[in-house]
Amino acid sequence: MTDMSERFMVVPVDRGDARAGEDRVDGDSVFLDAGAGEDERRGSVPILQYSREPNRFGAGNPRESSPFINNTDDEKGNLYDGKNMALFEEEMESNPMVSSLLNKLANYTNLTQGVREHEEADEDEGAKKKTVKSPQMGTFIGVYLPCLQNILGVILFLRMTWIVGTAGILESFIIVSMCCSCTMLTAISMSAIATNGVVPAGGSYYMISRSLGPEFGGAVGLCFYLGTTFAGAMYILGTIEILLTYILPGAAIFKTEVKELQAEAMLNNMRVYGTCCLTLMALVVFVGVKYVNKLALVFLACVVLSILAIYAGVIKTIFEPPVFPVCLLGNRTLQNHDFDKCLKTDIINNVTVTTKLWSLFCKGPELNASCNEYFTLNNVTEIPGIPGLTSGVISENMWSSYGPAGMLVEKPIEAETASDGSQDIYMPYVVNDITTFFTLLVGIYFPSVTGIMAGSNRSGDLRDAQRSIPIGTILAIVTTTIIYLSCVVLFGACIEGVVLRDKFGDSVKGNLVIGTLSWPSPWVIVIGSFFSCCGAGLQSLTGAPRLLQAIARDGIVPFLEVFGHGKANGEPTWALLLTALICESGILIASLDAVAPILSMFFLMCYLFVNLACALQTLLRTPNWRPRFKYYHWALSFLGMSLCLALMFISSWYYALVAMLIAGCIYKYIEYRGAEKEWGDGIRGVSLNAARYALIRLEEAPPHTKNWRPQLLVLLNLDSELSVKHPRLLSFTTQLKAGKGLTIVGSVLEGTYLTKETEAKRAEQNIKSAMTAEKTKGFCHVVASSNLRDGISHLIQSAGLGGMKHNSVLMAWPASWKQSNDPQSWKSFIETVRETTAAHQALLVAKNIDSFPHQERLTEGTIDVWWIVHDGGMLMLLPFLLRQHKVWRKCKMRIFTVAQMDDNSIQMKKDLQMFLYHLRLNAEVEVVEMHESDISAFTYEKTLVMEQRSQMLKQMQLSRTEREREAQLIHDRNTASHSALNDKADATPERVQMTWTKEKYFTERNRNREAIANMAVRDLFNMKPKQSNVRCMHTAVKLNEVVVCKSQDAHLVLLNMPGPPKNSEGDENYMEFLEVMMEGLNRVLLVRGGGQEVITIYS
């Protein structure tokens, strides 16, 4: 596989010798002169150079980059000194002139970085630069013949006759039609993808990964790799089967005369010879890949000659069928290895003597020797193995003949039956070596239609890939389909049924069954198929490591990165080693019939995703989806996908599940550990469309109470370094949400977006890092606003999208509001409370958020809920949600409610218990009685102190404002004219006249200030607290006493949050009431409902 990372880069070149209007080609560089001026000719002119070197970052992973924009270079400005394009010159650094790009874009090539470049590198080792030859392969040589060579192969020669004999002509026709339809539909989808833009050398993997994203791309790429590797194992096993069965049977190492052990001995021979063959092939691939490619045409010639020999043989059977007699005992087929005459006895010199066949069934050569019962009852007959095209044998071969392993291969004629058949397994009958059924044959046959990707894999070598790939691939599939379907009919019409079902040709003296049909000799097919299998095995061992190398270099599967490295010339050494090891595991299975379904699964999985990619892109109508190949439709792709899935489960449902599990595991691994990649893939398009559809559906109606869950807007404060001030707020969010529903984390920066853009991005990154550290899943939103209050208001109003908006706001309690000189800190808090109420959103305020648990699990303890007023049931729901998380799981829930003097507390407790029962919540219930009591002196005094403090702060605020105004006045008086001072005279005391001196003015001002201060102090001492404030303070104090008494040791206390006063004069008092209410408690969550029921007793 080739490296798929290509890029343009800007390089400065000396233009001293360049002539206007000419292109000069030198190595990889193309120098462009688009009407350049004299200034340009003298200077160093940056041009676009096409570079094959990968863009590397991190641990050597290639990065996709655009060749068109954002290619910056310090010396680039010299190209644009002319006056014509002055309007655009400021952006020339990132957006180059079209005139300088057109030549490169029109002649964009994608030279494969595979074998051919390596050959050139070897030949021109001394040369520093080599002229890049543009790809010259046409449709016939570049696509049609490689596809033909890859599709036709081992199954056709070794298993096709057996499949026709076992399944019958009709069912074989169905099998071939299904498999060929599957590949044709896949080829149509692949053609659409391949003609949708330039496909770099990398073929199918590149197409799927760029269409379906890195997760699917990696999963399917590795499936395709495993399929290609097991295909190599299958071809090697085919090579060894031909060698040991038909060419050199005497070369077997493991031999046995015991018939039932012969199959096992053969498997061991396959393992030994297969391992040796694999080692030899791997060495050939390692040493010289170029020789494999040069031999490809030789191997293809072998395939073509073999097929021509078959057709020639079929035609010859009309006039002169070949002589391959088959010996039948009764209706049973005999293995024709150990006897030469199909006779029980023979007459030699007028003497009747027994034959070799007699001695196989009898205990001695004597005529009176005791013989096998079936042998005694039935006569032997000899029939032609190849009756010929006009013999009418086609009618016998029309129907299937499935059976278990060990079933005798019998001709449907009358025969005597023996009473005892126990000795049949020791007799030289032809039997089924495996249990046969329709679905098994589908799995064994399917590999013979794979190989359709061969053309797309060579896309880098084609003169016009977008034209050649569809035409060549579809023509190759049509050709091979015709060959396969005609072979099914012709084999059934020419060859005797018992010979067709004889997998290894035992009834025709160990000849290859398809070879008996060929002309001029069976050896044409034997030698042709041998070299064909060798070539296909070498091609697999060449292609698979390159595919793995391409996946490794993409950097999407971290543990495969080592396989991206290779020899100095780029040969994938490590990938070849892994391929050989996996291939060896296939060879150790040793049975061609067992390996074929395995690679069928992996190829079908790959084809399934090619169809899925095409269907998705078509249905999503992606703007970039503009294939030149127009004869596709999403319905065809879906049909192809369904057919692939059906064939997977038809072939072998357990292999299908294993293949899906492997692909699923790879997908999840890449999703969890893989590198971040954005390839503009179709799955992202599906996500966007699904999200849009879901959002539109969500907006149609508000959520039902049963579906209500807190969708949180978390308001974070940032410190001076733009780091998160209270990260435990994110921890608490995670514990409350458990990854479900919507979480938007918002923060506000003071200033305009233009001045704060970089800071906003940095703050966003810091918040995202904190969210990752705290395992908070959600979205981050940083707003720049002229002031904090407006920014929070914007977030509350506009965060979220459509039906996916927040319904609850979570924030930290401003703990230092009393110490703060700036009243805006608590004023913005109260405004937030008011705005959430106006927006009908719930509000959660966490006190002492930094003491909340992080990841450590809490031991036995309680979450105490103080249910004072009902505001939708938030207080009930929140502890339940918290206890779903492991941190709070061991905590018990306690619910306290407050009874007044005239309430029946016993009945209240019963009612509350029943209500909780209906809500399916487990909690302890306690009713706390708050007796009417007189307002204590402590409460009165606390209210008075609160109001005095408030009044003093107002005085201080006024005096600060006055000082600021005075400073402004003096500044203006010193710098401006008398008329300007007159304009601002309203800022000075009323008696100030323009004739006053500065000293006189200050004396007057100080006298006024002292009088005001004395009066203010006198007022403070004479103050009486407002009755409403006293009552509110009384409630806060009494409630705090009860809560502290009952819940001081609770892990978390949830309290109803009272609403702020309607007019803003009492804002500071409101903060004081809340502070008093929470005094002496460690972790408190103030809860204010959004005016909607959030919990229900109904199912």
Side-chain angles (χ1 to χ4, degrees):
M1 243 16 193
T2 58
D3 185 16
M4 297 171 290
S5 176
E6 297 120 6
R7 60 189 170 111
F8 289 97
M9 63 185 181
V10 180
V11 293
V13 295
D14 185 26
R15 290 300 306 269
D17 60 341
R19 287 171 296 173
E22 273 190 21
D23 293 355
R24 175 172 143 227
V25 180
D26 178 18
D28 287 335
S29 306
V30 179
F31 303 127
L32 302 175
D33 189 349
E38 284 296 326
D39 292 337
E40 292 174 320
R41 290 192 183 95
R42 286 194 298 272
S44 174
V45 183
I47 55 90
L48 284 168
Q49 176 185 344
Y50 183 60
S51 169
R52 296 290 319 184
E53 287 301 311
N55 285 322
R56 299 205 169 273
F57 67 96
N61 299 328
R63 177 183 65 205
E64 292 194 302
S65 64
S66 168
F68 314 132
I69 59 170
N70 297 327
N71 279 312
T72 56
D73 195 290
D74 292 340
E75 300 181 38
K76 194 166 186 171
N78 298 344
L79 184 58
Y80 311 113
D81 289 342
K83 299 185 181 73
N84 290 346
M85 291 295 158
L87 191 60
F88 296 95
E89 64 186 12
E90 287 189 8
E91 294 182 344
M92 293 293 187
E93 289 295 321
S94 58
N95 301 352
M97 289 286 292
V98 171
S99 56
S100 67
L101 275 177
L102 279 176
N103 185 273
K104 279 310 292 178
L105 297 186
N107 298 309
Y108 177 74
T109 61
N110 227 320
L111 186 69
T112 173
Q113 204 175 356
V115 179
R116 201 178 69 211
E117 262 190 22
H118 300 152
E119 288 176 32
E120 290 170 0
D122 293 341
E123 289 161 12
D124 309 326
E125 206 165 4
K128 286 184 182 176
K129 289 210 169 194
K130 56 181 183 292
T131 305
V132 174
K133 293 181 278 184
S134 61
Q136 291 302 318
M137 283 191 184
T139 304
F140 187 74
I141 296 290
V143 181
Y144 181 75
L145 290 181
C147 283
L148 216 60
Q149 181 193 351
N150 277 266
I151 295 170
L152 299 169
V154 61
I155 301 292
L156 172 65
F157 299 123
L158 294 183
R159 293 290 181 270
M160 195 68 180
T161 52
W162 174 72
I163 289 171
V164 173
T166 307
I169 294 172
L170 285 178
E171 288 186 27
S172 299
F173 212 83
I174 292 168
I175 291 171
V176 173
S177 301
M178 272 201 312
C179 295
C180 290
S181 302
C182 176
T183 53
M184 178 58 86
L185 292 168
T186 304
I188 290 169
S189 298
M190 186 192 75
S191 299
I193 296 171
T195 58
N196 186 49
V198 179
V199 177
S204 51
Y205 162 68
Y206 186 93
M207 289 191 297
I208 296 165
S209 61
R210 269 51 176 184
S211 296
L212 290 178
E215 292 89 356
F216 276 113
V220 179
L222 285 172
C223 280
F224 193 46
Y225 163 73
L226 289 170
T228 310
T229 307
F230 274 105
M234 184 185 77
Y235 290 128
I236 291 169
L237 288 172
T239 306
I240 303 306
E241 187 176 307
I242 294 166
L243 179 73
L244 293 180
T245 311
Y246 308 113
I247 299 176
L248 292 171
I253 298 169
F254 301 95
K255 297 177 182 177
T256 178
E257 295 301 320
V258 183
K259 192 184 174 202
E260 57 269 29
L261 296 178
Q262 283 175 356
E264 189 59 41
M266 183 62 181
L267 291 180
N268 287 331
N269 285 319
M270 299 278 275
R271 290 182 182 111
V272 173
Y273 276 97
T275 304
C276 296
C277 184
L278 172 64
T279 308
L280 192 66
M281 284 186 177
L283 281 171
V284 169
V285 172
F286 178 74
V287 172
V289 180
K290 55 181 131 178
Y291 303 119
V292 177
N293 278 338
K294 285 173 180 172
L295 286 170
L297 279 173
V298 177
F299 298 137
L300 178 61
C302 291
V303 175
V304 173
L305 283 172
S306 301
I307 289 166
L308 290 175
I310 293 165
Y311 283 113
V314 168
I315 294 165
K316 186 174 178 289
T317 61
I318 300 171
F319 317 108
E320 186 188 340
V323 180
F324 283 100
V326 176
C327 191
L328 297 181
L329 175 62
N331 62 353
R332 299 177 181 179
T333 316
L334 297 176
Q335 292 185 1
N336 196 352
H337 290 300
D338 302 321
F339 58 92
D340 47 1
K341 292 181 180 178
C342 187
L343 296 168
K344 288 186 181 181
T345 57
D346 196 8
I347 298 171
I348 299 173
N349 299 329
N350 293 327
V351 178
T352 303
V353 293
T354 57
T355 59
K356 286 184 181 177
L357 183 61
W358 179 282
S359 59
L360 292 173
F361 285 89
C362 301
K363 291 184 178 176
E366 300 83 15
L367 286 168
N368 60 354
S370 62
C371 295
N372 179 273
E373 185 185 355
Y374 189 84
F375 182 76
T376 309
L377 292 172
N378 292 280
N379 292 322
V380 290
T381 51
E382 196 169 65
I383 59 169
I386 313 288
L389 197 60
T390 55
S391 64
V393 76
I394 189 169
S395 59
E396 291 178 23
N397 293 333
M398 198 63 74
W399 312 109
S400 60
S401 179
Y402 302 118
M407 186 184 87
L408 299 168
V409 174
E410 298 175 335
K411 188 174 171 61
I413 55 174
E414 290 294 323
E416 295 291 332
T417 54
S419 56
D420 180 20
S422 60
Q423 295 301 307
D424 289 348
I425 58 169
Y426 303 109
M427 298 301 150
Y429 297 127
V430 177
V431 296
N432 282 1
D433 65 327
I434 56 172
T435 303
T436 53
F437 41 90
F438 178 79
T439 56
L440 173 82
L441 298 187
V442 173
I444 291 173
Y445 173 74
F446 188 80
S448 67
V449 296
T450 60
I452 62 171
M453 300 286 190
S456 67
N457 288 347
R458 294 163 181 254
S459 55
D461 299 325
L462 300 172
R463 192 183 305 120
D464 183 0
Q466 299 200 4
R467 181 176 172 275
S468 297
I469 288 174
I471 295 171
T473 306
I474 290 170
L475 274 179
I477 292 173
V478 168
T479 308
T480 51
T481 304
I482 291 168
I483 290 171
Y484 283 135
L485 290 173
S486 62
C487 281
V488 167
V489 176
L490 294 175
F491 291 166
C494 293
I495 306 173
E496 178 61 51
V498 290
V499 179
L500 284 174
R501 298 202 298 280
D502 179 7
K503 188 188 284 185
F504 301 109
D506 292 321
S507 60
V508 285
K509 293 192 179 293
N511 277 300
L512 181 62
V513 173
I514 199 171
T516 60
L517 185 63
S518 65
W519 180 86
S521 163
W523 285 101
V524 175
I525 295 279
V526 172
I527 301 300
S529 60
F530 178 78
F531 282 115
S532 164
C533 290
C534 277
L538 281 169
Q539 292 282 0
S540 296
L541 286 178
T542 307
R546 278 175 171 64
L547 178 57
L548 183 63
Q549 188 180 39
I551 297 168
R553 284 188 175 175
D554 256 353
I556 54 173
V557 186
F559 71 81
L560 288 180
E561 281 180 9
V562 66
F563 299 109
H565 309 299
K567 290 198 289 189
N569 65 348
E571 287 297 326
T573 313
W574 292 107
L576 177 63
L577 186 63
L578 181 68
T579 303
L581 288 173
I582 296 171
C583 203
E584 176 63 18
S585 68
I587 285 167
L588 291 176
I589 295 171
S591 168
L592 189 72
D593 303 318
V595 173
I598 296 174
L599 69 106
S600 294
M601 288 307 126
F602 291 123
F603 277 118
L604 280 165
M605 182 80 76
C606 179
Y607 296 166
L608 185 147
F609 282 109
V610 170
N611 285 302
L612 175 64
C614 180
L616 277 183
Q617 301 274 35
T618 310
L619 287 173
L620 291 172
R621 297 188 183 92
T622 315
N624 192 47
W625 180 246
R626 304 184 297 275
R628 289 196 176 280
F629 180 78
K630 299 297 179 189
Y631 307 103
Y632 69 93
H633 192 269
W634 64 266
L636 289 176
S637 299
F638 266 116
L639 182 62
M641 194 172 74
S642 308
L643 199 52
C644 287
L645 197 63
L647 284 172
M648 283 175 73
F649 281 94
I650 285 170
S651 303
S652 172
W653 64 268
Y654 45 90
Y655 277 159
L657 290 175
V658 169
M660 286 179 162
L661 185 67
I662 290 170
C665 289
I666 297 166
Y667 178 95
K668 292 308 289 182
Y669 176 80
I670 295 171
E671 188 180 57
Y672 178 63
R673 289 291 310 278
E676 290 287 330
K677 297 282 178 185
E678 177 48 69
W679 286 334
D681 50 86
I683 293 297
R684 190 171 175 81
V686 172
S687 304
L688 285 169
N689 267 20
R692 183 184 63 84
Y693 175 75
L695 284 170
I696 290 169
R697 285 289 304 275
L698 272 175
E699 205 168 22
E700 289 174 3
H704 190 272
T705 307
K706 287 186 281 189
N707 294 328
W708 196 95
R709 64 167 68 246
Q711 316 284 18
L712 289 178
L713 169 63
V714 184
L715 297 177
L716 285 182
N717 293 327
L718 303 177
D719 59 21
S720 57
E721 299 294 319
L722 299 180
S723 299
V724 177
K725 201 180 277 185
H726 302 297
R728 291 293 168 86
L729 206 57
L730 294 173
S731 304
F732 185 67
T733 306
T734 307
Q735 291 155 20
L736 187 62
K737 303 289 291 178
K740 305 290 189 298
L742 175 73
T743 302
I744 302 171
V745 180
S747 190
V748 179
L749 294 180
E750 290 195 59
T752 63
Y753 183 67
L754 289 176
T755 57
K756 295 284 183 180
E757 181 194 359
T758 53
E759 289 179 36
K761 285 180 179 172
R762 189 150 59 90
E764 202 164 308
Q765 284 303 317
N766 291 345
I767 292 172
K768 283 180 179 174
S769 302
M771 288 171 73
T772 306
E774 303 296 338
K775 298 181 180 176
T776 306
K777 292 181 181 177
F779 308 100
C780 173
H781 197 25
V782 175
V783 171
S785 178
S786 55
N787 61 64
L788 191 68
R789 181 172 153 187
D790 287 350
I792 291 173
S793 178
H794 294 155
L795 278 174
I796 289 170
Q797 289 175 66
S798 61
L801 180 65
M804 202 66 174
K805 284 182 73 72
H806 61 279
N807 55 27
S808 309
V809 176
L810 172 63
M811 62 193 299
W813 169 257
S816 58
W817 70 274
K818 278 188 177 181
Q819 289 77 34
S820 175
N821 293 326
D822 183 12
Q824 288 305 318
S825 61
W826 53 266
K827 281 189 176 177
S828 64
F829 172 80
I830 294 172
E831 286 305 314
T832 305
V833 178
R834 286 197 175 102
E835 279 173 1
T836 53
T837 306
H840 302 291
Q841 293 171 5
L843 178 66
L844 311 176
V845 180
K847 182 197 172 187
N848 290 344
I849 186 64
D850 294 326
S851 70
F852 274 58
H854 180 47
Q855 297 293 338
E856 63 278 5
R857 300 189 186 198
L858 294 172
T859 52
E860 297 290 331
T862 60
I863 300 174
D864 286 2
V865 177
W866 284 82
W867 192 25
I868 299 158
V869 293
H870 179 64
D871 55 359
M874 275 281 283
L875 284 165
M876 307 289 183
L877 189 60
L878 291 176
F880 170 75
L881 294 174
L882 277 175
R883 289 181 66 233
Q884 305 299 306
H885 196 272
K886 62 182 181 183
V887 170
W888 301 89
R889 191 162 291 149
K890 291 185 178 177
C891 295
K892 290 179 181 174
M893 181 174 160
R894 293 195 301 181
I895 295 184
F896 296 89
T897 189
V898 176
Q900 300 299 322
M901 277 297 289
D902 51 351
D903 292 329
N904 183 343
S905 55
I906 297 170
Q907 188 59 42
M908 273 179 73
K909 185 170 182 177
K910 283 181 182 176
D911 293 344
L912 183 54
Q913 283 172 334
M914 182 55 69
F915 180 57
L916 289 176
Y917 176 77
H918 287 312
L919 287 175
R920 288 95 61 206
L921 293 175
N922 295 321
E924 292 178 20
V925 173
E926 193 169 333
V927 177
V928 178
E929 295 180 352
M930 277 182 71
H931 299 291
E932 286 288 341
S933 60
D934 293 333
I935 293 170
S936 65
F938 169 75
T939 303
Y940 191 87
E941 188 181 340
K942 202 167 182 66
T943 312
L944 183 60
V945 169
M946 175 186 77
E947 291 192 2
Q948 285 175 347
R949 180 178 177 279
S950 182
Q951 192 65 31
M952 281 178 68
L953 280 171
K954 279 181 186 171
Q955 293 292 345
M956 285 167 65
Q957 187 66 24
L958 282 170
S959 90
R960 185 158 69 242
T961 309
E962 189 184 316
R963 280 202 303 275
E964 286 167 4
R965 286 163 68 191
E966 284 169 7
Q968 184 65 36
L969 172 70
I970 292 164
H971 171 74
D972 291 343
R973 199 157 171 261
N974 290 338
T975 57
S977 65
H978 285 285
S979 60
L981 180 62
N982 194 35
D983 291 340
K984 297 185 185 303
D986 56 342
T988 63
E990 287 178 10
R991 292 201 304 275
V992 172
Q993 295 175 13
M994 299 310 297
T995 55
W996 280 25
T997 62
K998 190 193 289 186
E999 292 77 13
K1000 191 174 178 182
Y1001 166 75
F1002 277 122
T1003 309
E1004 182 70 17
R1005 185 201 65 182
N1006 291 334
R1007 198 151 53 91
N1008 288 348
R1009 184 181 289 168
E1010 283 167 14
I1012 291 166
N1014 291 334
M1015 190 170 67
V1017 170
R1018 219 169 30 250
D1019 288 348
L1020 279 175
F1021 283 111
N1022 294 333
M1023 271 181 75
K1024 287 188 177 179
K1026 289 182 186 174
Q1027 194 61 32
S1028 59
N1029 285 346
V1030 173
R1031 288 174 57 245
C1032 288
M1033 182 62 78
H1034 175 69
T1035 306
V1037 169
K1038 294 297 288 180
L1039 193 58
N1040 176 257
E1041 284 175 6
V1042 175
V1043 173
V1044 169
C1045 176
K1046 298 283 185 182
S1047 302
Q1048 193 164 18
D1049 297 327
H1051 284 314
L1052 180 64
V1053 177
L1054 279 79
L1055 281 169
N1056 280 115
M1057 182 178 186
K1062 289 188 177 172
N1063 63 0
S1064 56
E1065 286 181 10
D1067 283 358
E1068 195 182 352
N1069 299 340
Y1070 171 70
M1071 294 294 288
E1072 189 72 45
F1073 297 145
L1074 293 181
E1075 189 76 64
V1076 169
M1077 198 165 75
M1078 297 187 290
E1079 204 172 344
L1081 298 170
N1082 183 19
R1083 298 186 194 121
V1084 181
L1085 189 66
L1086 292 176
V1087 180
R1088 184 161 173 73
Q1092 178 189 352
E1093 287 292 335
V1094 301
I1095 195 164
T1096 177
I1097 64 172
Y1098 300 106
S1099 62

